[in-house]
């Protein structure tokens, strides 16, 4: 910390700081809570941020800060305003840091102004203001506010009332011992894997232990996000770990239940139920992701459906009912844990399939109504995101290159749906092992290419990626289940898990502002249509032989290796801005 005599001295001191470091300017008269300064000066997600009397700039905004400091000093020296009074975003902050923040914004650098609520951040200029600031400082418990703000503003009923009342204190305990959110996330994963191992024993004692451990894992899962908000330790990798580990925990637990059911004397068809639950949950998620990306920066008036939804969210009891209907992760994991301890894996999967199906119908219907009643203009960015989420490989891209784009507001999702029906129908209804299923896959490849031949800017084009996910995942499930080959469904479970990881990785790259995985990766693993066609060919060539299980296993291992190596390389070396994704309701 150094004291500057004037603006010129401040500029010289800032210029002397090594280029890779964050810098801050604080008015020496500042009076406020420590957490107010923490919010303004230490949040890694923003290139520049300010609270009254203080300003910070990350390395990427350092040059703009020095230029703004020079302009501000010149304007103040000449008695001129930094910006026109009508355009001043913070007319009440007349401090030097406040004026520099205004100059930064005038140049085009985004400056975050965190909401302080009851926290005090002020620069008193007379005894009366000084007394008011000190009174406000004494009347508010800084740490209590910090602890309260560590909890998500919008969360599920189970998490809000059964987890967060005490998990926030675990988060504070972790922060005081300098534990990182990523360490807590890893502990949650390890606990869930132990729970999966307990479930795999196939004994009642193992199931009870698995249910308890799964709940402990969920408590830690909530704690990592609360720790990130409490200590303002957000990171791109943290958001990725939090999201991907959630999926890894859930899928590993499903596998543990399926293994336990077989070891406990059940039949292999429980694996089909486990894979069905995984497929359904993954398709639910891609509906959410695609809809959000399609409307991320859409320009239009709010639809009547959205207005009704906002109105319902202002009525107390409807808020909780609506959040519970969608079966968020808290309610879902609580249901899984309790049913594991008290019933059988088969009942757990039946409950998951029924609950997730109802939730999917509810959320998808709402998104359809919003899309149809909102005359939105989708941007090129949204179309690019949907194309990336579609995960089209070289076969579909080749068709899209030579085929004329089909016109029509709903053509793309209609063609994608037709391709999905043809593929799943062929796998389900045609004789198993028939080359007609391969012909259905060929039709699916052509229709997939036609669906993405034009930019996905239609009102319902966000349905294209979910249709493709359903076609691929369900086809793999159906062909493996119909093969009557030992361990084919567990091998299919591994393949879908590897592919689903790739799709979640794509989502979080887009959300992190880094774009989708490189095209060479998509081409290498074939795209959704290439993998679907390959599995259909394998089923025809290796009909009712153990070679089908071996082929599915080899394909799963190959996809997992390519995707994981590239994903880990990217996230470890990523220069993406720090984010903390709130994700689905926790």
């Amino acid at each position: 910390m150094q004291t500057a005599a004037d603006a010129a001295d401040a500029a010289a001191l800032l210029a002397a700081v090594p280029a890779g470091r964050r810098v801050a300017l604080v008015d020496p008269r500042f009076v406020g809570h420590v957490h107010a300064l923490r919010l303004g000066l230490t949040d890694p997600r923003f290139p520049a941020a300010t609270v009254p009397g203080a300003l910070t700039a990350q390395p990427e905004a350092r040059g703009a800060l020095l230029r703004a400091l020079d302009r501000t000093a010149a304007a103040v020296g000449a008695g001129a305003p930094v910006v026109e009074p009508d355009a001043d975003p913070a007319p009440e902050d007349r401090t030097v840091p406040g004026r520099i923040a205004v100059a930064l914004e005038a140049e085009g650098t985004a400056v975050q102004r965190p909401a302080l609520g009851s926290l005090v951040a002020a620069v008193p200029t007379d005894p009366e203001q000084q007394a008011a600031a000190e009174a406000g400082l004494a009347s508010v418990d800084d740490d209590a506010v910090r602890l309260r703000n560590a909890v998500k503003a919008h969360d599920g009923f189970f998490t809000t009332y059964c987890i967060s009342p005490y998990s926030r204190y675990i988060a504070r305990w972790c922060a005081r011992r300098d534990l990182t959110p990523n360490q807590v996330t890893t502990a949650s994963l390890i606990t869930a894997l132990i729970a999966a191992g307990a479930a795999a024993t196939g004994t009642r004692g193992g199931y009870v232990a698995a249910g308890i451990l799964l709940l402990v894992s969920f408590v830690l899962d909530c704690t990592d996000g609360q720790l990130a908000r409490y200590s303002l330790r957000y990171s791109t990798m943290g958001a990725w770990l939090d999201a991907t580990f959630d999926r890894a925990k859930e899928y590993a637990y499903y596998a543990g239940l399926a293994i336990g059911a077989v070891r406990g004397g059940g039949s292999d068809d429980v694996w089909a139920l486990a894979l069905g639950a995984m497929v359904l949950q993954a398709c639910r998620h891609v509906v959410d992701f695609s809809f959000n990306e399609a409307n991320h920066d859409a320009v239009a008036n709010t639809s009547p459906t959205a207005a009704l939804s906002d109105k319902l969210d202002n009525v107390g009891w409807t808020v909780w009912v609506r959040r519970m209907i969608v079966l968020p992760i808290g309610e879902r994991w609580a249901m899984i844990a309790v049913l594991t301890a008290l019933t059988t894996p088969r009942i757990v999967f039946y409950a998951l399939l029924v609950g997730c199906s109802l939730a999917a119908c509810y959320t998808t219907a709402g998104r359809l109504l919003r899309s149809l009643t909102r005359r939105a203009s989708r941007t090129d960015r949204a179309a690019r995101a949907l194309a990336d989420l579609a995960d089209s490989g070289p076969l579909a891209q080749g068709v899209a290159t030579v085929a004329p784009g089909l016109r029509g507001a709903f053509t793309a999702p209609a063609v994608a749906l037709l391709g999905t029906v043809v593929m799943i129908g062929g796998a389900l209804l045609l004789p198993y092992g028939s080359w007609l299923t391969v012909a259905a896959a060929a039709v699916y490849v052509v229709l997939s290419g036609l669906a993405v031949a034009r930019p996905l800017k239609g009102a319902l084009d966000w349905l294209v990626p979910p249709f493709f996910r359903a076609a691929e995942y369900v086809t793999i499930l159906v062909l493996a289940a119909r093969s009557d080959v030992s361990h084919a469904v567990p091998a299919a479970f591994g393949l879908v898990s590897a592919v689903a990881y790739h799709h979640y990785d794509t989502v979080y790259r887009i959300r992190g502002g880094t774009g989708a995985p490189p095209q060479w990766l998509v081409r290498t693993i074939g795209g959704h249509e290439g993998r679907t066609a390959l599995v259909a060919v394998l089923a025809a060539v290796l009909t009712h032989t153990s070679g089908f299980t071996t082929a599915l296993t080899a394909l799963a291992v190959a996809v997992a290796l390519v995707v994981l190596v590239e994903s880990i390389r990217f996230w470890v070396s990523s220069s993406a801005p720090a984010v903390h994704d709130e994700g689905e309701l926790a």
Side-chain angles (χ1 to χ4, degrees):
M1 180 184 297
Q2 300 186 60
T3 302
D6 51 33
D9 188 24
L13 291 172
L14 289 175
V17 177
R21 294 184 182 177
R22 175 200 287 265
V23 296
L25 288 172
V26 181
D27 193 300
R29 300 167 296 170
F30 177 86
V31 175
H33 288 100
V34 173
H35 192 52
L37 273 182
R38 187 182 291 111
L39 289 171
L41 302 184
T42 66
D43 196 324
R45 295 173 296 175
F46 311 106
T50 185
V51 294
L55 168 71
T56 186
Q58 299 231 53
E60 61 266 31
R62 286 274 300 276
L65 173 62
L66 289 173
R67 293 191 296 271
L69 182 58
D70 291 339
R71 289 199 312 276
T72 302
V76 172
V82 177
V83 295
E84 293 299 323
D86 292 342
D88 193 341
E92 72 285 352
D93 186 2
R94 309 303 301 175
T95 63
V96 171
R99 297 301 86 202
I100 296 173
V102 171
L104 273 173
E105 291 175 308
E107 184 181 297
T109 300
V111 179
Q112 170 70 6
R113 300 175 185 274
L116 299 180
S118 58
L119 296 175
V120 174
V123 178
T125 56
D126 57 48
E128 183 177 341
Q129 292 181 0
Q130 179 79 23
E134 291 177 352
L137 196 63
S139 64
V140 175
D141 185 341
D142 178 82
D143 191 64
V145 173
R146 185 183 179 190
L147 198 59
R148 185 170 64 249
N149 291 343
V151 178
K152 276 186 187 179
H154 304 287
D155 223 329
F157 181 88
F158 178 76
T159 306
T160 298
Y161 290 105
C162 300
I163 304 296
S164 292
Y166 56 88
S167 62
R168 69 184 75 182
Y169 295 102
I170 301 175
R172 183 173 65 182
W173 183 90
C174 293
R176 290 175 176 177
R177 283 151 184 81
D178 204 31
L179 296 176
T180 68
N182 291 351
Q183 289 171 332
V184 178
T185 302
T186 303
S188 176
L189 173 65
I190 293 171
T191 305
L193 293 179
I194 297 173
T201 62
T203 64
R204 176 53 52 197
Y207 290 149
V208 172
I212 294 172
L213 287 170
L214 188 65
L215 289 177
V216 172
S217 174
F218 182 64
V219 171
L220 293 173
D221 185 49
C222 295
T223 300
D224 64 1
Q226 292 166 356
L227 175 59
R229 287 181 286 272
Y230 183 85
S231 59
L232 298 180
R233 299 180 73 164
Y234 304 105
S235 69
T236 304
M237 180 177 286
W240 169 68
L241 287 178
D242 190 44
T244 55
F245 279 12
D246 277 351
R247 304 289 76 78
K249 288 181 288 189
E250 194 160 6
Y251 298 164
Y253 194 80
Y254 291 175
L257 284 175
I259 293 171
V262 174
R263 293 187 65 181
S267 61
D268 282 349
D269 67 340
V270 177
W271 273 105
L273 295 176
L275 181 51
M278 183 172 72
V279 168
L280 181 55
Q281 189 58 32
C283 290
R284 278 188 64 199
H285 278 148
V286 78
V287 166
D288 296 339
F289 297 146
S290 295
F291 178 80
N292 291 337
E293 289 301 326
N295 295 280
H296 179 76
D297 46 9
V299 179
N301 291 327
T302 302
S303 72
T305 306
L308 175 61
S309 178
D310 292 340
K311 184 176 180 180
L312 290 175
D313 277 341
N314 291 322
V315 180
W317 65 271
T318 63
V319 173
W320 297 117
V321 170
R322 280 154 52 84
R323 291 184 189 177
M324 293 173 70
I325 286 175
V326 301
L327 201 64
I329 189 171
E331 275 73 359
R332 193 167 68 250
W333 281 31
M335 179 182 74
I336 294 171
V338 171
L339 290 179
T340 298
L342 300 180
T343 63
T344 66
R346 187 180 298 275
I347 293 176
V348 173
F349 290 127
Y350 283 149
L352 273 172
L353 289 167
V354 172
C356 289
S357 295
L358 293 175
C361 291
Y362 171 78
T363 55
T364 305
R367 283 160 172 69
L368 285 170
L369 287 173
R370 287 180 184 231
S371 300
L372 292 172
T373 58
R374 183 184 189 192
R375 297 294 179 262
S377 176
R378 269 75 185 190
T379 63
D380 290 338
R381 177 201 172 280
R384 179 70 260 166
L386 290 180
D388 291 335
L389 290 173
D391 192 34
S392 299
L395 297 178
Q397 289 178 358
V399 172
T401 300
V402 301
L406 300 177
R407 298 186 178 276
F410 307 116
T411 302
V415 171
L417 175 60
L418 177 60
T420 299
V421 171
V422 168
M423 188 66 255
I424 296 178
L428 191 62
L429 301 177
L430 292 173
Y432 178 78
S434 168
W435 284 93
L436 290 176
T437 306
V438 178
V443 173
Y444 174 66
V445 168
V446 173
L447 293 175
S448 297
L450 290 175
V452 297
R454 292 174 62 84
L456 299 176
K457 292 186 175 182
L460 296 181
D461 284 0
W462 56 269
L463 286 169
V464 171
F467 285 149
F468 289 163
R469 292 300 80 74
E472 180 180 4
Y473 296 168
V474 175
T475 296
I476 295 172
L477 166 61
V478 170
L479 291 178
R482 295 187 66 196
S483 69
D484 291 328
V485 176
S486 177
H487 305 307
V489 179
F493 188 97
L495 175 58
V496 173
S497 297
V499 174
Y501 174 86
H502 163 61
H503 290 142
Y504 281 107
D505 185 55
T506 300
V507 166
Y508 281 91
R509 291 197 195 205
I510 295 172
R511 286 187 170 185
T514 59
Q519 274 299 302
W520 71 259
L521 175 65
V522 177
R523 289 193 296 269
T524 300
I525 61 176
H528 69 92
E529 80 292 349
R531 292 185 298 270
T532 304
L534 177 58
V535 172
V537 170
L538 291 174
V541 173
L542 303 172
T543 305
H544 301 305
T545 69
S546 61
F548 186 55
T549 297
T550 303
L552 288 180
T553 303
L555 182 58
V557 171
V559 171
L561 281 176
V562 173
V563 169
L564 281 172
V565 168
E566 161 57 19
S567 177
I568 294 171
R569 181 211 62 78
F570 170 80
W571 288 104
V572 169
S573 62
S574 175
S575 58
V579 296
H580 184 78
D581 187 83
E582 293 291 338
E584 64 171 317
L585 293 177

